């Protein structure tokens, strides 16, 4: 493998909290439904982590962004399970000869506390991305009360992915 076969991508996503918790739209991060009584406003299930991962993978293979592939004006993606979006994005990347080698994710939010769920989120991501858990890193940070995440208005997520040819 030569270095030129490696691809890197970055993804960023934000979703705003809805004012009311909706049992139909529980908080989902990295494909895991969290117990906190919080909901995010979104056309899909609002999984900011998976959206950032999808955008990072799409970026790595020069395929634009998630909005291009799954427009939020398309009823087909209403309340979509983002796991299905990720699966399609992974297929697209594999068709171009690469798959994730490792991912590094930073979730930015004041609420909820993610530490109790971190291992579950990493395990789910490793499973979805066909990686070992030590190839998936998930960090959570607050912004010390500053800005929109600090005001508990929403959750932001950054992701960097390294893509490599697969056997
Ligand atoms: Mg999104």
């Amino acid at each position: 493998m030569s270095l030129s076969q490696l691809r890197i991508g970055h993804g960023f996503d934000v979703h705003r909290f809805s004012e009311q918790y909706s049992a139909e739209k529980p908080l989902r991060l990295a494909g895991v439904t969290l117990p906190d009584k919080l909901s995010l406003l979104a056309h899909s299930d609002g999984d900011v982590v998976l959206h950032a991962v999808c955008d990072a993978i799409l970026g790595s293979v020069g395929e634009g962004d998630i909005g291009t592939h799954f427009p939020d004006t398309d009823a087909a993606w209403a309340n979509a399970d983002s796991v299905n979006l990720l699966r399609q994005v992974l297929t697209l990347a594999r068709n171009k000869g690469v798959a994730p080698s490792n991912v590094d994710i930073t979730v930015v939010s004041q609420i909820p506390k993610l530490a109790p769920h971190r291992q579950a989120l990493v395990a789910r991501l490793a499973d979805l991305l066909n990686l070992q858990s030590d190839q998936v890193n998930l960090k959570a940070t607050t912004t010390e009360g500053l800005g929109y995440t600090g005001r508990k208005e929403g959750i932001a997520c950054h992701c960097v992915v390294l893509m490599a040819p697969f056997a």
Side-chain angles (χ1 to χ4, degrees):
M1 185 188 69
S2 76
L3 277 179
S4 65
Q5 291 175 290
L6 296 175
R7 310 285 301 207
I8 191 167
H10 169 259
F12 174 68
D13 194 36
V14 178
H15 281 277
R16 178 190 285 270
F17 286 122
S18 58
E19 290 189 6
Q20 300 268 314
Y21 167 69
S22 161
E24 286 84 59
K25 207 167 252 201
L27 181 62
R28 270 169 71 86
L29 295 178
V32 176
T33 301
L34 300 186
D36 308 86
K37 293 277 184 282
L38 296 166
S39 295
L40 292 169
L41 293 173
H43 184 66
S44 68
D45 63 3
D47 192 326
V48 284
V49 174
L50 292 191
H51 294 178
V53 172
C54 284
D55 263 351
I57 294 170
L58 288 169
S60 75
V61 291
E63 278 287 339
D65 59 42
I66 196 169
T68 312
H69 290 267
F70 312 106
D72 65 8
T73 50
D74 186 338
W77 309 116
N79 297 313
D81 181 344
S82 297
V83 166
N84 293 329
L85 309 188
L86 176 60
R87 290 206 169 107
Q88 290 191 46
V89 166
L90 285 168
T91 299
L92 188 155
R94 286 196 189 106
N95 288 339
K96 293 191 161 207
V98 289
S101 176
N102 76 294
V103 290
D104 188 20
I105 295 163
T106 303
V107 180
V108 186
S109 66
Q110 205 71 31
I111 52 170
K113 283 266 174 276
L114 289 185
H117 310 299
R118 206 185 79 81
Q119 277 192 328
L121 270 54
V122 168
R124 180 73 169 135
L125 283 163
D127 181 46
L128 290 170
L129 297 169
N130 200 23
L131 293 172
Q132 302 299 312
S133 56
D134 66 356
Q135 295 170 300
V136 176
N137 195 64
L138 186 137
K139 308 182 291 297
T141 185
T142 71
T143 51
E144 301 284 344
L146 296 169
Y148 59 91
T149 58
R151 291 188 298 268
K152 304 177 184 173
E153 293 170 0
I155 300 181
C157 184
H158 301 260
C159 174
V160 174
V161 65
L162 186 69
M163 306 288 285
F166 56 94

